[in-house]
Amino acid sequence: MGYTLCVLGCGTMGIAILSGVVDSLEARNTTIRPPHSKWEVHTPGTMTPAESSEDDASLPSRFIACVTRTESAKKLKNVFSALGPIGTKVEVVTGQNLESVRQSDVVILCCKPQQAQSILSGHEMQEALAGKLLISILAGVTIPQMSAWVLPSTTVIRAMPNTPCKIREGMTVVSALPESSDVDLQRSVILNIFSSIGRCRFLDEKHFDACTALSGSGPAFACIFLEAMADGGVMMGLPRAEALELAAQTLQGAARMTLQAGAHPAQIKDTVTTPGGCTIAGLLALEDGRVRSTIARAIQIATERASELGQPAKH
């Protein structure tokens, strides 16, 4: 049998992660809907979900979703039930963090950063987490901080998924695993979880603030550019709905060419840019507006802000 997976603070991101895992397992159990094949183009450090037997130790066989409000519990039950037979088995509990962790093997921490210490540092919770894998998706809360709140036998790692995980198009960065006798199994567990909701890559924790800014905040930055492109189309007479569709599909297509074909963005740009054409005219207008440096500075500022999240308030 597989392991028990618990999500503490199962809000928007917790729902996305758990839904992705359940949906991936549902896909393994049907011949009608094949597993996600698009992850074959993963970058190094990732894996492709493959058919596995029911007793695969790297796959969860029981799910516990923890929330604090009864209204949230009702919502979650409806969400997971709609995913199929496995989804109906997700146990949604209210105000039972400690008991849920005791029954689990892998715990994903999805609470607000400022709540982490109060949740983890209680003696009973420390005992419940002993010898288990704790995966935190909290921005700004470091591994040394969390390690100080739990027992040494708890394996603490960080994962940084982003909003597109909700549609299985996410980008998750996971901190390097400490060496142990269970490291291969833990790596498989992590990849099976996060590959079900998008791409997954391992990086040292020192890069996490930049990853938070680039892939965590990045969708918001991309949407500014997307909205601006659509506005330009409307300015030139296109209907709003069509302008937005053209802009969105254009950005998606360019991104997929970069990821799947391995083309450098500059290479894609140059293939579109003909001498004396409309593309080079538009590119010069973007350069006049300092678009490159403005976007790069946005990542810089967001990274600096990410480093402040989860840290004690300055008085």
Side-chain angles (χ1 to χ4, degrees):
M1 293 295 292
Y3 65 91
T4 298
L5 175 63
C6 172
V7 178
L8 289 181
C10 195
T12 301
M13 195 58 73
I15 293 171
I17 294 170
L18 201 47
S19 295
V21 173
V22 169
D23 196 47
S24 178
L25 291 173
E26 292 282 6
R28 295 170 188 269
N29 295 337
T30 178
T31 57
I32 299 175
R33 181 176 49 169
H36 299 291
S37 59
K38 60 186 174 182
W39 307 132
E40 291 174 357
V41 294
H42 266 168
T43 45
T46 63
M47 66 178 293
T48 302
E51 294 293 347
S52 302
S53 59
E54 292 182 357
D55 60 355
D56 188 337
S58 69
L59 296 175
S61 57
R62 182 186 177 197
F63 309 90
I64 306 175
C66 300
V67 294
T68 56
R69 297 186 303 163
T70 304
E71 297 81 5
S72 300
K74 291 178 180 178
K75 174 187 173 184
L76 262 61
K77 288 178 182 177
N78 292 332
V79 170
F80 296 134
S81 295
L83 297 175
I86 298 177
T88 61
K89 298 178 182 178
V90 176
E91 302 166 39
V92 182
V93 299
T94 306
Q96 299 180 41
N97 286 355
L98 180 59
E99 185 58 33
S100 298
V101 171
R102 283 174 174 159
Q103 299 176 38
S104 303
D105 304 295
V106 178
V107 177
I108 302 179
L109 184 63
C110 301
C111 66
K112 295 178 180 178
Q114 59 268 29
Q115 297 174 328
Q117 183 174 6
S118 61
I119 290 175
L120 297 177
S121 59
H123 178 70
E124 290 183 307
M125 182 61 81
Q126 290 178 334
E127 292 290 340
L129 283 167
K132 298 177 180 179
L133 176 61
L134 175 64
I135 305 172
S136 166
I137 69 165
L138 311 185
V141 183
T142 67
I143 291 176
Q145 281 179 290
M146 289 182 287
S147 296
W149 301 332
V150 298
L151 298 178
S153 63
T154 303
T155 300
V156 181
I157 68 159
R158 289 179 66 187
M160 185 56 59
N162 63 0
T163 303
C165 289
K166 290 193 247 182
I167 60 167
R168 319 292 190 262
E169 292 285 358
M171 181 70 233
T172 303
V173 178
V174 182
S175 62
L177 282 162
E179 287 299 324
S180 71
S181 58
D182 297 325
V183 66
D184 289 336
L185 176 58
Q186 290 173 344
R187 184 181 180 88
S188 295
V189 165
I190 292 164
L191 287 172
N192 276 324
I193 290 173
F194 294 107
S195 290
S196 72
I197 53 173
R199 289 174 172 260
C200 180
R201 175 181 277 277
F202 285 89
L203 277 175
D204 290 337
E205 189 189 16
K206 65 182 180 181
H207 298 301
F208 262 57
D209 291 332
C211 292
T212 299
L214 187 52
S215 64
S217 302
F221 305 152
C223 283
I224 289 288
F225 195 82
L226 170 57
E227 188 178 24
M229 287 180 65
D231 284 346
V234 172
M235 174 67 183
M236 301 315 296
L238 288 176
R240 169 65 64 179
E242 284 74 7
L244 189 56
E245 180 184 14
L246 265 64
Q249 181 60 35
T250 298
L251 289 181
Q252 177 177 246
R256 287 197 176 280
M257 288 179 72
T258 300
L259 291 172
Q260 295 186 359
H264 191 280
Q267 181 184 1
I268 299 172
K269 172 181 68 68
D270 287 348
T271 60
V272 183
T273 308
T274 55
C278 59
T279 304
I280 189 61
L283 286 171
L284 289 177
L286 289 174
E287 297 292 358
D288 289 342
R290 301 176 61 187
V291 168
R292 288 174 185 259
S293 61
T294 300
I295 293 173
R297 290 295 186 194
I299 301 299
Q300 178 188 10
I301 296 299
T303 299
E304 293 168 355
R305 176 59 182 144
S307 68
E308 300 170 357
L309 298 176
Q311 303 307 310
K314 296 179 180 179
H315 298 289

